[in-house]
Amino acid sequence: MSQDSKRPLYVIAPAYNEAEGIDSFVMALGKVLSDEASLGKLAPTIIIVDDGSKDQTSAKVAEAARMLPQGVRVVTLRLSRNFGHQAALQAGLDYAVQFADVQSYYITLDADFEHPPTLIPEIVRQLDLGIHHVQMVRHENLQRKPFKRLSSWLFYWIFDKLSQTVIPVGAADFRGFSNQVAVQFVKLPEHDRFHRGLFHWLGFPTIEIRYESPLRRRGKTKFSISRMLELAVSGLTSFSERPLTIMLGIITTSAFAVCLLYLGWEVFRYFHGIRFVVGWPTMIFFISFWGGANAASQLVVGVYLTRMFSEIKARPVYICQEISSFGTAGGGRDKGGVSE
Ligand code: UDP
Ligand code: MG
């Protein structure tokens, strides 16, 4: 246990250009956590990872942090630039794990109220029961944009078909977990990290809790179509080699089939005495077939190669420029640091 024998609880939220609503988010977290802390068992720390925001996100967090009740500490990690949602979560987790003890709990959630802070007590209750990993699973909110709903459903469907790691439909990065899980998670060496998959890959006992997801309160989504696609490709390729094997399988089989068909046609022609200006359609067919097949297979191989390239470079997942802390347990301003 920590020195004052309360259980440390780290609540980690990534925030990118969330100045419009981050203060009310921190206040809402503060309220829920001080209620929990007042029960005397928890020592909560809110960790907001400012993922290179260009607005006043960090300043707003500091403002809100100063108004929080006693007993809730706030730490802001400011990354040097925008590294992406997954890297920001990783930064928060790496930071927390350094100070945690074996009793610590961790919760990660988005900073836009789509993951309601009011559900934190329920997550803590489950962790108290000895569950290592509590995965929050969203009921589909019919008010979400149809495109978002469809793309998210399609991703989970494809992931389920291609990967042996099972992640529930609607599982996002809203979860609670034990110190044992956190320690194993930060040890995973890969750089391109798809948290949803990795937490399930670790294999600790997990329960799912379904919740109604409200819509984002303020600001707009930071995930453009291309960033969503990037995350989807990263998730699929890091958890399945099947796109590669499927592509190679399709190409080999179809190439073989086309050759046989063509051979059959030649034999048929020979025996039936069919004569015409041969060659042209067949040639076009072959050229375009092989051109397409080659391009497609190279694309898949290329995606894996890019991933290998980025893993081999082994650059840090994020750079932390500044760490500030507010509240009872810390106070003052720490020096900035570079982390991996
Ligand atoms: N976010 C981040 N870095 C990014 C993009 C998003 O830290 O590059 C944060 C964002 O501030 C929010 C969470 O990640 O707290 C989820 O992002 P968002 O709500 O935009 O995604 P959506 O819910 O639309 O998928
Ligand atoms: Mg959101």
Side-chain angles (χ1 to χ4, degrees), residues 99-248:
F99 302 103
D101 63 33
V102 286
Q103 300 287 328
S104 303
Y105 290 160
Y106 305 77
I107 290 175
T108 59
L109 78 177
D110 289 355
D112 59 358
F113 286 97
E114 280 190 79
H115 301 161
T118 45
L119 295 174
I120 288 177
E122 178 56 24
I123 300 178
V124 170
R125 255 191 298 285
Q126 297 298 331
L127 293 170
D128 277 342
L129 294 175
I131 307 283
H132 277 279
H133 177 212
V134 181
Q135 170 73 65
M136 303 303 284
V137 181
R138 141 191 100 216
H139 276 302
E140 197 45 273
N141 184 333
L142 295 178
Q143 287 168 305
R144 285 210 316 156
K145 292 205 175 107
F147 175 73
K148 265 265 192 208
R149 297 207 314 259
L150 178 71
S151 54
S152 151
W153 175 85
L154 195 65
F155 170 75
Y156 287 109
W157 186 80
I158 296 176
F159 192 96
D160 185 54
K161 296 283 167 262
L162 293 184
S163 167
Q164 285 171 354
T165 303
V166 178
I167 49 174
V169 178
D173 292 312
F174 185 18
R175 58 170 50 85
F177 43 99
S178 66
N179 193 61
Q180 225 176 322
V181 173
V183 166
Q184 294 304 327
F185 184 83
V186 297
K187 270 197 218 157
L188 293 171
E190 57 205 90
H191 286 74
D192 190 358
R193 300 168 86 88
F194 182 62
H195 288 211
R196 257 161 261 194
L198 290 173
F199 272 98
H200 289 269
W201 179 88
L202 284 174
F204 285 90
T206 298
I207 61 154
E208 291 162 24
I209 300 183
R210 302 213 148 249
Y211 70 99
E212 300 292 336
S213 170
L215 294 183
R216 164 184 266 284
R217 276 210 197 154
R218 295 207 173 77
K220 47 181 193 298
T221 177
K222 310 300 178 303
F223 277 88
S224 58
I225 295 179
S226 65
R227 287 192 79 166
M228 267 162 51
L229 211 62
E230 229 173 79
L231 187 66
V233 170
S234 149
L236 288 174
T237 49
S238 57
F239 278 89
S240 173
E241 281 81 44
R242 282 198 202 158
L244 192 60
T245 43
I246 288 175
M247 195 43 99
L248 292 176

Side-chain angles (χ1 to χ4, degrees), residues 319-340:
I319 303 285
C320 184
Q321 186 184 321
E322 192 183 5
I323 303 174
S324 314
S325 74
F326 313 86
T328 45
R333 252 171 126 73
D334 303 337
K335 287 225 169 68
V338 178
S339 330
E340 279 177 45

